[in-house]
Amino acid sequence: MYLNHALAEIRARREAEGRELTRHDLYAAIMVGAVERVRPKMMTVVAIMAGLLPIMWSTGTGSEIMQRIAVPMIGGMISSRC
């Protein structure tokens, strides 16, 4: 979605100028689309991590079970960020 939006903007500019898309234009669209995707991705990861970290620090009844569930989820969030 982000790549298509960035490419459409660049394509509209090139058509207004009367030029065709180049490899550099495609590269620029990929960079713009990737930068636009970083913010929503980071917001999701931070929100999930903020909810899981208190589970990791808990010591009450059932905390051992919940920690076993939270550890792989935290690992998945850390690896999905990369």
Side-chain angles (χ1 to χ4, degrees), residues 8-10 16 24 26-27 29 43 51-52 62-63 67 75-76:
E9 285 182 8
I10 291 175
H24 178 70
L26 180 59
Y27 179 79
M43 288 173 60
L52 291 173
S63 64
Q67 286 173 352

Side-chain angles (χ1 to χ4, degrees), residues 34-56:
V35 168
E36 288 178 3
R37 177 67 181 129
V38 169
R39 181 174 181 255
K41 178 75 172 174
M42 288 304 297
M43 288 173 60
T44 302
V45 168
V46 168
I48 291 172
M49 295 284 289
L52 291 173
L53 286 178
I55 294 172
M56 291 300 300

